[in-house]
Amino acid sequence: MSVRVRFLPDDVTVDAEVGEPLLDVADRAGVFIPTGCLMGSCYACSVEVEDGDTIRACITAVPPGREQLTINLFSDPTW
């Protein structure tokens, strides 16, 4: 099943498959999400989904049950 993933604030949209790692989707879309540890503990890859929840992109996959997923990127100057 395909999900349209929209990255804000640049308004970049790409199709992704359910279960595909979010970092891979962002990379394919040309969107940079900083990463540190790749295990979710450093929070460098924190992004906000459309419902306001903050997730760690390095340990998150495209979820099922949606036609579209909007991701708001944070900009942390320390990364």
Side-chain angles (χ1 to χ4, degrees), residues 9-58:
D10 295 330
D11 199 20
V12 175
T13 303
V14 65
D15 288 328
E17 294 299 318
V18 169
E20 188 175 359
L22 196 53
L23 282 181
D24 292 349
V25 175
D27 186 50
R28 194 173 69 251
V31 173
F32 176 71
I33 298 177
T35 58
C37 65
L38 297 176
M39 295 178 294
S41 63
C42 76
Y43 290 84
C45 64
S46 293
V47 296
E48 184 179 281
V49 291
E50 59 209 353
D51 61 8
D53 287 340
T54 300
I55 60 171
R56 292 176 307 279
C58 73

